Amino acid sequence: KYWEVNNEEAATDHPVIQAAGRALKQEEVIAFPTETVYGLGGDATSDRAVKKIFAAKGRPQDNPLIVHIGKKEQVETLVTEIPDMAQTFMDAFWPGPLTLILKSNGTCAKGVTAGLSTIGIRMPDHPVALALLQASGVPVAAPSANRSGRPSPTSAAHVQEDLSGKIYGILDGGTTGVGLESTVVDCTGEVPVILRPGGITKEDLEQIVPEVRLDPALKDKKEKPKSPGMKYTHYAPKAPLWLINGDLEFFQQKIDELRTEGKKVGVMTSKESAERLNAPILKTCGSRSHLSSVAAELYHTLRSFDSEQVDVILGESFPKKGIGVAIMNRLEKASTRIIEP
Ligand code: TXA
Ligand code: MG
């Protein structure tokens, strides 16, 4: 099934939302838009639906899913307790791109938590997602709607590229906003710990609570990540991505060197850098002065190299400030090499 819904018309009684909600209740899996990326949703309490999600994505069984809810009160039905910090975050940032890791009460199907005692929950800030979640009435497990390892989908077309024929339906609500997945914060300890950087930054969280830590694995590759998904290769386009960590002169030198070797080179930069570089295949990805625009366009730009048959993609690095932390986290995971002077 392919359904289109206008964001302005999204409501629980909209016929398309009703049909998609029924599909979820019948243990089918469907892709739907959120403010971050498209999710592949299934009833989180159904073993059958959860198995379908893992199968369609080709996802490793040990990587748990995020559960999406349409009303804040639904959290209580999924966890053993709501610590104060979690309540504070929910009040400040939900609906929004923030996933809270809490202690699971076992209501969801086993596969959702992948054997962990904790569960990731979020309430997305998107009219289509909220209407669908409310219409279905069930908690909805939804990883990003890409084949495992690929860049997350920011449009229904991306979902089709990866999952066409493998899922029951796609709910097309246009292009997503943030463009990167939600921030994942572990709220089961004394101090909140960011396991995956995302749309809500460390600075945002620190406006609300005195201290927030970063999972050591985010800084040191030798540490074992607490978020199982963070250990896999991710977000990768088909050609190898090499990150350039140097000035524009160095960047140009690398482009020229590789071209002299006879390589077909793709280049991905901000619009500011694009004006100062020379390369036959150059795609711009947002503006350095608005890093949120880089985030919004990142996955689409990475995917757009797939049809160019390039041998290698050279990508620009960004400052690790604000949402830049999340951008660089995804770029480093997607890349096979980091090239420095
Ligand atoms: O923005 C998003 O979060 C999107 C949209 C669809 O909501 N979803 C998403 O899901 O990015 P996924 O499955 O691609 O990423 C979920 C991440 C993985 O890194 C996973 O390991 C982590 O969340 N995660 C889920 N449950 C966890 C848990 N109980 N403990 C630690 N990490 C968990
Ligand atoms: Mg994902």
Side-chain angles (χ1 to χ4, degrees):
K1 295 265 188 313
Y2 193 96
W3 299 290
E4 275 177 278
V5 223
N6 225 309
N7 286 340
E8 291 78 48
E9 290 165 12
T12 49
D13 59 359
H14 189 291
V16 162
I17 298 287
Q18 284 281 317
R22 266 197 307 278
L24 286 177
K25 274 189 254 185
Q26 289 161 1
E27 300 174 293
E28 298 294 352
V29 295
I30 58 174
F32 64 95
T34 79
E35 82 281 31
T36 59
V37 300
Y38 273 73
L40 177 61
D43 179 349
T45 63
S46 155
D47 271 322
R48 269 185 72 205
V50 170
K51 287 203 174 103
K52 286 181 189 174
I53 294 174
F54 279 90
K57 281 191 57 107
R59 182 176 178 103
Q61 296 292 332
D62 67 345
N63 192 2
L65 309 179
I66 293 171
V67 176
H68 295 66
I69 55 176
K71 293 218 157 75
K72 282 189 198 177
E73 306 82 75
Q74 258 176 301
V75 176
E76 294 156 27
T77 66
L78 301 169
V79 303
T80 57
E81 56 175 333
I82 303 175
D84 287 346
M85 69 172 112
Q87 188 62 52
T88 315
F89 289 146
M90 283 159 52
D91 292 342
F93 299 111
W94 278 9
L98 180 68
T99 296
L100 303 179
I101 305 296
L102 300 166
K103 286 183 185 142
S104 167
N105 69 4
T107 298
C108 287
K110 284 251 157 31
V112 171
T113 52
L116 298 174
S117 59
T118 55
I119 184 168
I121 307 175
R122 92 174 185 103
M123 179 178 180
D125 186 16
H126 191 291
V128 174
L130 287 174
L132 174 67
L133 292 166
Q134 287 161 14
S136 78
V138 294
V140 173
S144 49
N146 49 284
R147 283 288 290 176
S148 223
R150 297 267 296 147
S152 296
T154 52
S155 73
H158 297 163
V159 178
Q160 276 184 307
E161 271 168 32
D162 279 18
L163 299 179
S164 183
K166 295 191 165 72
I167 59 179
Y168 182 84
I170 300 179
L171 196 49
D172 181 351
T175 307
T176 61
V178 179
L180 297 180
E181 304 81 355
S182 62
T183 307
V184 176
V185 178
D186 183 353
C187 297
T188 61
E190 291 288 305
V191 174
V193 181
I194 297 180
L195 306 184
R196 179 177 73 178
I200 303 280
T201 64
K202 184 164 184 280
E203 293 87 339
D204 292 333
L205 298 172
E206 281 169 344
Q207 299 276 315
I208 314 280
V209 297
E211 191 191 353
V212 178
R213 294 198 191 128
L214 281 180
D215 182 0
L218 290 173
K219 289 191 175 150
D220 183 350
K221 293 205 168 63
K222 289 191 284 289
E223 295 281 336
K224 184 175 181 284
K226 271 183 84 193
S227 177
M230 298 304 277
K231 70 176 180 273
Y232 296 105
T233 308
H234 253 105
Y235 321 116
K238 287 175 182 151
L241 169 70
W242 296 355
L243 268 190
I244 303 286
N245 200 0
D247 61 16
L248 286 176
E249 200 183 323
F250 178 73
F251 204 139
Q252 187 66 54
Q253 210 179 309
K254 288 296 147 193
I255 297 171
D256 298 343
E257 266 173 39
L258 287 162
R259 292 189 63 205
T260 311
E261 287 170 23
K263 295 230 161 62
K264 191 169 177 193
V265 181
V267 173
M268 179 172 84
T269 68
S270 62
K271 70 168 200 261
E272 291 88 347
S273 303
E275 281 165 17
R276 298 174 52 201
L277 288 173
N278 248 314
I281 305 170
L282 192 153
K283 294 180 189 286
T284 60
C285 178
S287 158
R288 278 185 83 86
S289 56
H290 299 281
L291 287 184
S292 56
S293 66
V294 176
E297 293 173 33
L298 187 68
Y299 290 143
H300 175 75
T301 314
L302 281 174
R303 276 178 184 264
S304 71
F305 284 103
D306 287 350
S307 55
E308 300 278 0
Q309 320 255 291
V310 293
D311 297 313
V312 59
I313 304 165
L314 297 183
E316 179 174 352
S317 299
F318 294 91
K320 289 182 181 173
K321 286 232 175 76
I323 193 148
V325 176
I327 294 170
M328 287 306 292
N329 170 268
R330 306 307 192 272
L331 279 174
E332 284 170 4
K333 285 197 172 294
S335 64
T336 55
R337 282 181 66 180
I338 296 178
I339 305 184
E340 289 171 318

